């Protein structure tokens, strides 16, 4: 067994949506370390994108950037056209807001639905044909522990993540015979920019910690290591799975 070869992604092209920071950034940098050419995506061009690309290139990797607002069907189409051929699709970008159900506006509902579900569907639909032709492909959705245990303050986010996992199961069944694996990685509470503000509240922080059997919050790199397995030949016989990286919080 040649472990280096099993995890080797040289010659593969990977798009990681929402990869200028947080979990997406960690996954992008890990796939780059394994040899993949990385497309860094964010909703708009900013310094975070450029710093991520610079870090990958400084480490000997290959990366480029594409900015697109996934809430806009027109910009999703531009993203698809700009990417071209693709071997690995990591659906990491998402929109969320902490609020009760009765506080949601129609606009916020549609924003989360568009970013979290519709754009993911359109990206899969666009890139699957090429993967089928090459008889190799990896699709990995980044879900959430909320798809199993919905937070009262994330009602629409939780719903879209559960729907996304259902879509991945459907795709896994359809495309397995073409050498395409389709899986879902469901993070728990990971210490990223997104979670810093809400966890600054000590009372809320302690309440959340009490829900995690491991007794700590996770790191983005702990999601990235699993992503590498599922996006490489090492994971070629793993499809249709939903794996929580949550310290047991999903239980």
């Amino acid at each position: 067994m040649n472990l280096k070869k099993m995890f080797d992604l040289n010659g593969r092209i990977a798009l990681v949506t929402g990869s200028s920071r947080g979990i997406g950034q960690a996954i992008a940098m890990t796939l780059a370390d394994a040899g993949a050419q990385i497309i860094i995506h964010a909703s708009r061009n900013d310094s975070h994108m450029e710093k991520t690309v610079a870090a990958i290139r400084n480490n000997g990797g290959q990366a480029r950037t594409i900015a697109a607002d996934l809430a806009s069907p027109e910009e999703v189409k531009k993203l698809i056209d700009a990417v071209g051929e693709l071997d690995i699709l990591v659906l990491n970008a998402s929109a969320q807001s902490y609020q009760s159900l009765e506080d949601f506006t129609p606009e916020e509902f549609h924003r989360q639905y568009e970013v979290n579900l519709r754009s993911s569907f359109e990206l899969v639909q666009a890139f699957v044909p090429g993967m089928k032709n090459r008889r190799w492909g990896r699709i990995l959705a980044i879900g959430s522990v909320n798809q199993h245990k919905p937070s009262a303050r994330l009602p629409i986010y939780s719903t879209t993540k559960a729907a996304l996992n259902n879509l991945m199961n459907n795709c896994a069944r359809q495309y397995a015979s073409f050498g395409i694996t389709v899986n879902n990685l469901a993070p728990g509470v990971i210490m990223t920019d997104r979670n810093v503000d809400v966890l600054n509240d000590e009372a809320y922080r302690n309440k959340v910690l009490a829900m995690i059997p491991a007794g700590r919050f996770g790191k983005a790199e702990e999601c990235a290591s699993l992503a590498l397995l599922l996006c490489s030949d090492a994971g070629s016989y793993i499809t249709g799975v939903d794996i929580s990286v949550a310290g047991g919080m999903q239980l």
Side-chain angles (χ1 to χ4, degrees), residues 126-142:
F127 294 120
V128 154
M131 294 179 182
K132 288 172 66 177
N133 290 338
R134 293 185 294 276
R135 303 194 71 82
W136 197 98
R138 299 289 182 266
I139 300 171
L140 177 62
I142 307 303

Side-chain angles (χ1 to χ4, degrees), residues 15-186:
L15 166 64
V16 184
T17 64
S19 48
S20 65
R21 59 176 75 187
I23 293 172
Q25 181 188 62
I27 291 174
M29 295 184 72
T30 298
L31 298 184
D33 284 345
Q37 300 176 44
I38 305 297
I39 300 167
I40 299 296
H41 162 266
S43 60
R44 62 184 182 276
N45 287 304
D46 60 21
S47 61
H48 295 288
M49 290 181 77
E50 300 305 325
K51 288 177 182 178
T52 302
V53 168
I56 290 173
R57 290 176 177 171
N58 289 341
N59 200 37
Q62 301 178 65
R64 61 188 175 103
T65 65
I66 302 177
D69 181 359
L70 299 185
S72 164
E74 293 77 17
E75 294 211 15
V76 172
K77 186 179 186 304
K78 290 179 182 178
L79 171 62
I80 291 167
D81 292 342
V83 168
E85 289 191 352
L86 193 70
D87 301 296
I88 300 168
L89 173 61
V90 181
L91 301 165
N92 171 75
S94 65
Q96 67 171 219
S97 59
Y98 286 89
Q99 55 188 303
S100 63
L101 189 68
E102 58 265 33
D103 292 331
F104 265 82
T105 63
E107 292 76 17
E108 180 59 20
F109 173 90
H110 285 292
R111 183 181 78 93
Q112 294 192 30
Y113 173 85
E114 297 288 315
V115 174
N116 300 352
L117 189 59
R118 181 198 50 77
S119 68
S120 295
F121 167 79
E122 292 184 353
L123 290 171
V124 171
Q125 189 178 48
F127 294 120
V128 154
M131 294 179 182
K132 288 172 66 177
N133 290 338
R134 293 185 294 276
R135 303 194 71 82
W136 197 98
R138 299 289 182 266
I139 300 171
L140 177 62
I142 307 303
S144 170
V145 70
N146 283 280
Q147 72 197 45
H148 303 292
K149 301 180 73 172
S151 167
R153 295 201 295 158
L154 292 170
I156 307 307
Y157 175 81
S158 302
T159 302
T160 58
K161 289 299 185 178
L164 181 61
N165 182 44
N166 189 289
L167 177 62
M168 294 301 102
N169 286 339
N170 188 294
C171 291
R173 182 183 291 272
Q174 287 192 60
Y175 303 124
S177 63
F178 295 96
I180 301 170
T181 68
V182 187
N183 295 295
N184 191 75
L185 187 163

